[in-house]
Every structure is written in C-alpha cells, then in structure tokens.
Amino acid sequence: SGGEATRLVFTRLSIEQPNVLVLDEPTNHLDLESIEALVEGLRAYPGTLILVSHDRWFVSQLATRVLEIRADGVTDYPGPYDEYVHACGDDHLDVDHVVLKARREKRQKKASPTPESAERPAKRKNSKRDLQKRRQRLEPIMQRIEAAETRVQEIDDLFCEPDYFARTPVDEARDRQAERNRLQLELRDLISEWERIESEINALEARDEIR
C-alpha cells in the first residue's frame, strides 16, 4: 500500500543517515499514529529538513522557516508556521478557506451597485426576482460553512498545542481527527452547492446583460 511504501522509504533513510532530507507530502497515505511517529523522528533528526506539505499540523510541528512561493515572488519568513499565519493573516494550508474567501470577494464585487446597473429598465423584474431567490439561498449555506470552518479551526488549534498529543488519550485524538475529516467533507459538499447556485446567478446576470 501507499502507507507501507512510505514507511519503507523512511526506514531506508534512517539507515542511510543523510544530512539533508527533502520531503514532498510525506504524510500522504499515513495514519494518525504514523504521522505522530514521523514528527517525533524528524524532531530528533540532526540534519536539515526541506519539506512541502498541505498538512497544517505537520508543518506547524516542524517548520522553523517558511518560504511562500507566489507568481509575483517569494516571501522568506524566518519563523514557525503559526507565527507566519499571524503575520500574513491567511492560513494558506486551509484550502477550503482560501477558495471560499476568493468566492466571497467575487460575490461581493458583483453585488456592489454601479451606475450602469442602476439605469437598467424595470422590465427585468422577473429576472431580478430569480436572482434574489438564489442569493437568499446562499445565506444559510454560508452560515453552515462558517460554522464548520470555525470548528475545524478550533480542532487545528488544539492539534497545534505543543503537548496536545502527549496529554490527550489516543481515542480522543482520533475522534477529533474523525470529526475534522467529516467537517472537511461537509465543507466540500457545501462549497459545491455554493458553486452551483453561484453558476445559476452568473447565468441570470449574463442573460440580463445580453438583453
């Protein structure tokens, strides 16, 4: 399996004892106990670690320097990931949050009134009514998304506490991880529903522009 192959690679590396490790998504296919064991092993590793990962907890446990690579340049932050998030204001490892934020900004921009929209004729009442209904349907979806995001953040904050896994029973940690996984799936479904309604709104708006 993928997990067995990953563990075999780490076993070989521990025997070879290199002074630099380059790790690309090393937590893929690993269960919770294996990830915890990997973190403990890498903490004891005396060499240099260069890692790429979307696992927020894994990065926060190990990274002492963060390189953010964007289209317009590279940001080199000399500190752990939690401090970097606090400094830049965005948690780039929370993918659902990043996508949703972009869609919110897009919606807000489209919802802003313009002189041109104010001059549209009153004969589009039916179309506007349809738009209003769909926009109203977005509100409860947004509330559920925000509630799920808040709970995921609470769990992530717990996982980032230095002694959390040392003082927390394994079953309790597993339950929280299972809850986080369930919330992530729920968020994906809610965001898909958001996208579907947003597409309908875009289609209605485009139809109005053609008229």
Side-chain angles (χ1 to χ4, degrees), residues 144-159:
R144 292 175 62 190
I145 288 174
E146 290 172 1
E149 283 184 325
T150 299
R151 180 54 183 159
V152 168
Q153 186 61 54
E154 290 173 354
I155 295 173
D156 286 344
D157 290 341
L158 284 173
F159 285 172

Side-chain angles (χ1 to χ4, degrees), residues 17-186:
Q17 297 182 340
N19 59 6
V20 177
L21 291 179
V22 181
L23 307 177
D24 183 6
E25 300 290 354
T27 60
N28 283 0
H29 309 297
L30 295 182
D31 57 23
L32 185 59
E33 287 88 349
S34 297
I35 294 174
E36 292 174 7
L38 176 60
V39 167
E40 291 303 316
L42 293 177
R43 280 176 174 168
Y45 174 66
T48 299
L49 290 175
I50 302 173
L51 61 91
V52 176
S53 177
H54 286 86
D55 188 324
R56 187 187 193 282
W57 180 80
F58 180 77
V59 173
S60 67
Q61 294 299 304
L62 294 171
T64 59
R65 175 181 174 188
V66 178
L67 287 173
E68 180 188 5
I69 302 173
R70 304 183 309 275
D72 58 347
V74 177
T75 299
D76 185 352
Y77 185 84
Y81 185 71
D82 288 342
E83 291 183 9
Y84 176 71
V85 170
H86 180 73
C88 73
D90 280 327
D91 188 347
H92 301 305
L93 296 187
D94 189 342
V95 178
D96 290 332
H97 173 76
V98 172
V99 172
L100 185 59
K101 179 181 176 183
R103 296 190 181 281
R104 281 174 180 160
E105 292 174 350
K106 181 180 177 182
R107 269 268 50 83
Q108 289 170 356
K109 184 177 179 181
K110 287 191 174 184
S112 300
T114 62
E116 182 180 349
S117 64
E119 296 173 359
R120 290 177 180 175
K123 66 182 181 180
R124 297 176 182 170
K125 285 183 179 180
N126 289 337
S127 180
K128 288 182 179 180
R129 190 179 302 114
D130 290 340
L131 281 171
Q132 184 64 23
K133 287 180 179 178
R134 284 165 174 79
R135 286 170 178 158
Q136 288 174 350
R137 287 166 58 192
L138 291 179
E139 184 62 27
I141 295 175
M142 287 300 305
Q143 291 175 355
R144 292 175 62 190
I145 288 174
E146 290 172 1
E149 283 184 325
T150 299
R151 180 54 183 159
V152 168
Q153 186 61 54
E154 290 173 354
I155 295 173
D156 286 344
D157 290 341
L158 284 173
F159 285 172
C160 287
E161 293 176 3
D163 61 342
Y164 174 78
F165 288 94
R167 61 179 167 78
T168 304
V170 173
D171 289 343
E172 183 178 336
R174 282 178 177 169
D175 289 343
R176 285 211 170 100
Q177 182 64 52
E179 180 185 2
R180 189 186 190 282
N181 293 341
R182 178 182 59 76
L183 288 169
Q184 290 288 65
L185 291 174
E186 181 181 341

